[in-house]
């Protein structure tokens, strides 16, 4: 990059079209998602083409270190400091690999939207020195990434919403509304990652009509139990869950969690459904004499299905065509998909691919779009979803050194 920051921004804004990369790694900490987009315009007039999408697996060491530093009991300030910069290097390699696979040079990328790796998300105000603080931390040094690749990076998307009283999540509903709203049918966009979240797009909805929130755990419990009992990262196709029975006492305990009764706006993460909750869950399973891992995994998976189902039924109108589109790793889990189809009569359940976007790519695509919205001066949040006092420009720019 040459010239002043103003020169760089002027060039980017005046381009007739931009190649924008979106980089995302979620609470599952399984892989880095990178999407390459060709974007023309912005906002409701935006035209989008997905050029390429690629997943890059984390190394075992990176995954273990991230998991350890998500928990208060095992976090280490030296590790967090190192991970913040190391994550930028890992993201840079993932983008290089994606560009190579797409037959492109990194130099062709004009802008990067980097979500970063969430370590902690505290959306409810906590008193600190007499100041009510809402806070979140996504590691991944944007200046490091920008300099490694020679490409401007927009990051730190959540802070602007939180300082305005918002939850800082979910942020993808702005993109869902831009891309997927319909004049005649009611649509729900569901992402099942580490956590699950929905965006409700009622027919002919305006931006102010959009409802979106985290429904609760997605893959987080099942993945942790698969690692514990089987040494595998996830339950492929939901095979283990489908082989087990759902324990009525155990699922009853799970569904009594206070989060499920909380009204939106709301968001959650491993702070609520992480190692501490998993320990309580396993302790209760032992007290109930449940020793079959498949039963324990099936019951955890059923909690994901029931919490999503309750959220969807609580938000969808009863009339008109109703469709649920599923994205994220959980869209490949047959236990989840079959459970949703059986539990949502009158609602068509299919993968997001049916709308022309690869289901695995949804969040990486979203942060590329949000970076472009920042560049063009458009808001990135939806106060109806996050609870913020107003719409806000989300993100911070880092230029190559």
């Amino acid at each position: 990059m040459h010239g002043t920051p103003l020169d760089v921004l002027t060039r980017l804004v005046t381009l007739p079209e931009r190649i924008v990369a979106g980089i995302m790694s979620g609470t599952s900490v399984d892989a880095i998602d990178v999407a390459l987009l060709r974007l023309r315009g912005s906002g409701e007039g935006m035209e989008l083409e997905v050029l390429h999408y690629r997943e890059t697996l984390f190394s075992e060491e990176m995954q273990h270190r991230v998991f350890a530093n998500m928990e208060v009991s095992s976090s280490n300030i030296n590790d967090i400091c190192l991970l913040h910069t190391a994550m930028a290097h890992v993201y840079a390699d993932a983008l290089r690999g994606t560009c190579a696979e797409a037959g492109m040079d990194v130099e062709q990328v004009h802008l990067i939207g980097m979500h970063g790796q969430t370590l902690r998300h505290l959306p409810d105000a906590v008193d600190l020195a007499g100041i009510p603080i809402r806070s979140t931390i996504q590691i991944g040094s944007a200046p490091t990434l920008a300099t490694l690749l020679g490409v401007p990076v927009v990051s730190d998307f959540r802070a602007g919403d939180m300082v305005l009283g918002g939850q800082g999540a979910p942020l993808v509903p702005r993109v869902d509304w831009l891309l997927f709203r319909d004049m005649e049918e009611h649509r729900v966009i569901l992402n099942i990652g580490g956590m699950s979240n929905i965006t409700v797009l009622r027919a002919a909805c305006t931006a102010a009509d959009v409802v979106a929130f985290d429904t609760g755990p997605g893959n987080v419990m099942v993945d942790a139990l698969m690692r514990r009992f089987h040494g595998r990262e996830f339950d492929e196709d939901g095979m283990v869950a489908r082989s087990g029975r759902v324990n009525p006492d155990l699922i009853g305990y799970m569904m009594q969690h206070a989060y499920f009764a909380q009204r939106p706006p709301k968001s959650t993460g491993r702070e609520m459904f992480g190692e501490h909750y998993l320990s309580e869950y396993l302790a209760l399973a032992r007290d109930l004499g449940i020793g079959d891992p498949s039963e324990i995994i099936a019951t955890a998976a059923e909690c994901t299905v029931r919490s999503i189902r309750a959220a969807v039924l609580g938000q969808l109108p009863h009339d008109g065509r109703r469709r649920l589109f599923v994205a994220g790793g959980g869209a490949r889990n047959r236990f989840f998909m079959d459970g949703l189809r059986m539990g949502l009569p009158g609602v068509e359940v299919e993968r997001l691919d049916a709308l022309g976007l690869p289901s695995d790519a949804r969040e990486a695509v979203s942060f590329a779009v949000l970076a472009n919205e920042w560049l063009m001066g458009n808001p990135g949040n939806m106060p109806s979803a996050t609870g913020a006092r107003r719409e806000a420009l989300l993100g911070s720019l880092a230029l190559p050194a």
Side-chain angles (χ1 to χ4, degrees):
M1 285 290 157
H2 301 288
T4 68
L6 179 60
D7 293 334
V8 174
L9 287 170
T10 300
R11 173 178 170 272
L12 287 173
V13 168
T14 54
L15 286 171
E17 64 178 34
R18 287 170 287 280
I19 305 299
V20 185
I23 302 177
M24 171 74 193
S25 56
T27 51
S28 293
V29 201
D30 51 356
I32 302 159
D33 301 337
V34 179
L36 293 171
L37 276 60
R38 177 178 284 111
L39 289 167
R40 300 178 187 88
S42 65
E44 295 183 59
M46 177 185 63
E47 297 177 17
L48 177 153
E49 179 187 357
V50 179
L51 301 175
H52 200 67
Y53 170 75
R54 183 175 187 256
E55 294 181 7
T56 303
L57 296 178
F58 277 112
S59 69
E60 189 172 312
E61 180 182 358
M62 282 293 291
Q63 186 184 57
H64 287 171
R65 283 186 179 239
V66 171
F67 278 143
N69 285 283
M70 286 178 169
E71 301 296 331
V72 172
S73 60
S74 55
S75 62
N76 178 295
I77 191 63
N78 284 341
D79 263 5
I80 293 171
C81 185
L82 292 168
L83 281 169
H84 182 54
T85 300
M87 193 64 66
H89 285 263
V90 173
Y91 285 162
D93 286 343
L95 181 54
R96 291 187 190 106
T98 304
C99 287
E101 197 171 273
M104 295 173 54
D105 294 325
V106 174
E107 290 75 15
Q108 292 175 259
V109 177
H110 298 112
L111 186 67
I112 296 168
M114 180 193 74
H115 173 265
Q117 177 63 58
T118 299
L119 286 189
R120 203 75 177 163
H121 184 65
L122 303 174
D124 298 318
V126 174
D127 185 273
L128 181 65
I131 306 168
I133 298 295
R134 303 170 189 263
S135 189
T136 189
I137 181 169
Q138 286 76 43
I139 57 169
S141 167
T144 301
L145 181 65
T147 300
L148 286 171
L149 297 174
V151 180
V153 175
V154 180
S155 67
D156 199 15
F157 290 96
R158 301 190 184 277
D161 182 84
M162 296 182 82
V163 75
L164 293 171
Q167 295 269 308
L171 295 184
V172 293
R174 169 69 63 174
V175 182
D176 289 339
W177 180 73
L178 289 172
L179 298 182
F180 304 128
R181 70 189 188 278
D182 188 83
M183 293 302 294
E184 298 181 355
E185 64 186 33
H186 308 299
R187 293 177 172 180
V188 176
I189 312 299
L190 163 66
N191 188 77
I192 308 178
M195 302 297 146
S196 296
N197 55 70
I198 60 170
T199 303
V200 183
L201 303 169
R202 297 182 181 91
C205 64
T206 67
D209 298 327
V210 175
V211 175
F213 56 92
D214 291 344
T215 64
N219 298 306
V220 62
M221 292 282 290
V222 174
D223 288 353
L225 292 166
M226 286 296 296
R227 284 190 291 270
R228 181 179 293 257
F229 290 124
H230 298 289
R232 303 205 301 267
E233 291 300 314
F234 63 96
D235 184 11
E236 187 171 359
D237 199 32
M239 289 180 63
V240 174
R242 287 187 289 118
S243 72
R245 67 182 285 268
V246 175
N247 184 277
D249 295 322
L250 202 50
I251 191 64
Y253 159 78
M254 296 187 80
M255 296 312 299
Q256 289 173 11
H257 196 291
Y259 182 78
F260 301 134
Q262 185 180 331
R263 299 184 66 179
K266 60 179 182 176
S267 60
T268 190
R270 287 181 180 271
E271 303 78 23
M272 193 172 290
F273 293 105
E275 284 298 319
H276 179 71
Y277 183 69
L278 181 68
S279 297
E280 290 184 353
Y281 175 72
L282 289 171
L284 180 58
R286 286 193 298 272
D287 291 345
L288 293 170
I290 304 168
D292 180 3
S294 64
E295 185 173 348
I296 294 172
I297 291 169
T299 304
E302 180 68 11
C303 176
T304 294
V305 172
R306 291 192 188 187
S307 56
I308 293 169
R309 185 174 66 204
V312 170
L313 291 175
Q315 295 294 334
L316 267 184
H318 298 293
D319 61 330
R321 189 180 186 187
R322 304 184 300 167
R323 303 176 75 186
L324 173 68
F325 299 94
V326 188
R332 299 191 297 268
N333 184 310
R334 189 143 52 103
F335 183 97
F336 292 156
M337 296 297 285
D338 289 348
L340 292 170
R341 289 188 176 106
M342 289 187 293
L344 293 170
V347 179
E348 301 170 46
V349 179
E350 50 199 314
R351 289 178 59 149
L352 187 62
D353 305 69
L355 291 179
L357 187 72
S359 59
D360 291 335
R362 178 218 184 195
E363 291 194 304
V365 166
S366 293
F367 284 99
V369 171
L370 287 174
N372 188 69
E373 293 297 283
W374 177 91
L375 178 69
M376 302 306 289
N378 297 327
N381 66 335
M382 282 192 151
S384 61
T386 67
R389 291 188 291 276
R390 59 172 172 80
E391 291 186 331
L393 187 69
L394 299 187
S396 301
L397 180 69
L399 295 177

